[in-house]
Amino acid sequence: MQRSSTAPPRAVSRQMRWSNLQRRWAPYVFVSPFFILFLVFGLYPTLFSLYMSFQSWSQTDGWGHWKFVGLENYSFTLTDPMFWRAMYNTVWLGVVSGLPQHLLAIPLAFVIHMGLSRFKTFTSAVYFLPYITSTVAIALIFNTLFSTQKGVINQTLAYLNTLPLFGWFLPDENINWFLNSTIKWGIALVVIWKYTGWNTLLYLSAIQAIPRELYEAASVDGATRWQQFRFVTLPLLRPMMFFAVSLTIIGNMQLFEEPFVLLNGGASSATQGGQTVAMYMFRTAFEWLEMGTAASIAWLLFAFIAVLTIINNLAFGRAAQGRGD
């Protein structure tokens, strides 16, 4: 008698239920690592810092020994002269180091696209190199460049000072960059050097997406390269300008590594002149052990960045979404 190869109904039913269960839950299982990591290392620290901004606590008190103080941390921060000095430094650096990045990056991207197309890959790699270079290595290099007596920057300024065109506004003596009055200029130069190449690549990718037919039509109509740049490239770059400026605002308002390393972690005599809000927050938390105050600084900085982002959206957003002229 031949045995039937058909599976029993109960086994078939279990297989179907298991198959349906796999189809239903498999997507959630595969995406769960992201959500687990985000909850543990993203959402929880964010909400905990908000909770901590209303508490008084130091690491030396031990876990759980915090005391509710309401808005006292925010009140102290908003009346702290050091916070407003750090905020002034941050805004100053954001403007002085942020604007040149884009004013240099847009023409550079246009020149690379139009005149250096054969060497586009090599040129892009060269411009991107400062962005991926270690901040510590950058700081060591610029510490040498900023040297008062033998630094290349001071020697270059001294040479330019001998020329009639530059001598009338350049200083007669070498600049000590590590003073409260000049350290911000040094930090700004480092930031410009590091991030101009990154913005150049952003604008270059946007320019490459512009149809070549538009330039050809403009050339047929007699437009010069400058007119092509002004009337074709710039209007079509507005969405990328919105994106790049948003990144600059967020990055410059959280500027930490460059001033922290150049100012020796706050041990430099020029710390007050170059200390940013992020650096001041770090020192408040880990040098002065005031975690609640540091958390309040973080959320005030978040609110300030949000306001600047909204202003940037009002300035570029309509154009970026195709609703501006």
Side-chain angles (χ1 to χ4, degrees):
M1 184 176 180
Q2 190 173 8
R3 185 176 297 177
S4 174
S5 60
T6 305
R10 290 184 178 180
V12 174
S13 178
R14 285 196 299 269
Q15 290 177 358
M16 292 181 61
R17 286 198 300 269
W18 175 245
S19 178
N20 291 333
L21 188 65
Q22 284 182 315
R23 285 196 298 268
R24 177 179 298 179
W25 292 104
Y28 299 102
V29 172
F30 285 117
V31 302
S32 62
F34 165 78
F35 288 102
I36 293 172
L37 291 174
F38 173 73
L39 289 174
V40 174
F41 298 104
L43 185 61
Y44 171 73
T46 301
L47 296 179
F48 182 74
S49 69
L50 179 61
Y51 171 79
M52 189 56 59
S53 67
F54 300 102
Q55 312 292 324
S56 176
W57 180 68
S58 174
Q59 297 95 315
T60 57
D61 297 334
W63 183 258
H65 296 278
W66 40 70
K67 177 183 178 183
F68 179 76
V69 293
L71 297 175
E72 183 177 326
N73 290 326
Y74 290 94
S75 176
F76 172 80
T77 301
L78 291 173
T79 57
D80 182 12
M82 289 185 66
F83 169 76
W84 289 111
R85 178 65 182 269
M87 181 63 75
Y88 168 77
N89 294 337
T90 303
V91 174
W92 191 96
L93 288 169
V95 174
V96 175
S97 68
L99 286 177
Q101 293 178 36
H102 301 277
L103 295 177
L104 293 172
I106 294 175
L108 281 174
F110 182 76
V111 170
I112 293 172
H113 179 71
M114 300 298 291
L116 300 174
S117 56
R118 293 184 179 181
F119 310 99
K120 189 178 301 181
T121 302
F122 174 76
T123 308
S124 300
V126 170
Y127 277 108
F128 192 66
L129 189 61
Y131 181 76
I132 62 176
T133 304
S134 169
T135 303
V136 176
I138 293 173
L140 292 175
I141 293 172
F142 274 89
N143 268 322
T144 303
L145 295 177
F146 289 144
S147 175
T148 304
Q149 300 300 329
K150 300 296 183 180
V152 174
I153 295 178
N154 273 329
Q155 290 186 352
T156 303
L157 293 176
Y159 170 74
L160 293 176
N161 196 27
T162 61
L163 303 178
L165 185 62
F166 300 96
W168 66 275
F169 68 89
L170 291 177
D172 296 329
E173 299 179 354
N174 290 340
I175 300 174
N176 185 352
W177 294 95
F178 295 96
L179 295 176
N180 282 321
S181 57
T182 54
I183 187 61
K184 287 195 291 293
W185 291 102
I187 297 173
L189 287 174
V190 176
V191 175
I192 293 170
W193 178 82
K194 183 175 181 179
Y195 293 101
T196 297
W198 162 254
N199 286 293
T200 300
L201 294 185
L202 291 179
Y203 290 121
L204 180 60
S205 65
I207 292 175
Q208 289 175 340
I210 299 175
R212 184 171 293 273
E213 291 79 7
L214 296 178
Y215 291 106
E216 293 175 353
S219 179
V220 170
D221 290 339
T224 63
R225 282 294 174 88
W226 163 248
Q227 291 172 327
Q228 293 177 29
F229 174 73
R230 179 181 177 185
F231 297 107
V232 177
T233 304
L234 286 182
L236 295 178
L237 277 183
R238 286 179 180 177
M240 181 55 72
M241 289 181 188
F242 170 68
F243 176 71
V245 171
S246 297
L247 291 181
T248 300
I249 290 174
I250 296 172
N252 282 10
M253 290 300 103
Q254 300 180 85
L255 197 63
F256 174 78
E257 292 180 334
E258 291 79 8
F260 185 82
V261 176
L262 286 175
L263 294 171
N264 195 22
S268 171
S269 59
T271 294
Q272 293 300 317
Q275 181 171 250
T276 61
V277 174
M279 184 177 171
Y280 178 57
M281 176 181 62
F282 176 86
R283 298 184 67 202
T284 301
F286 299 105
E287 184 176 337
W288 303 317
L289 305 180
E290 294 290 342
M291 298 299 295
T293 305
S296 68
I297 295 173
W299 282 96
L300 288 172
L301 180 61
F302 167 77
F304 188 72
I305 293 174
V307 171
L308 292 180
T309 305
I310 292 173
I311 295 174
N312 180 53
N313 183 63
L314 294 176
F316 286 99
R318 290 177 60 86
Q321 298 172 15
R323 295 178 300 193
D325 295 331

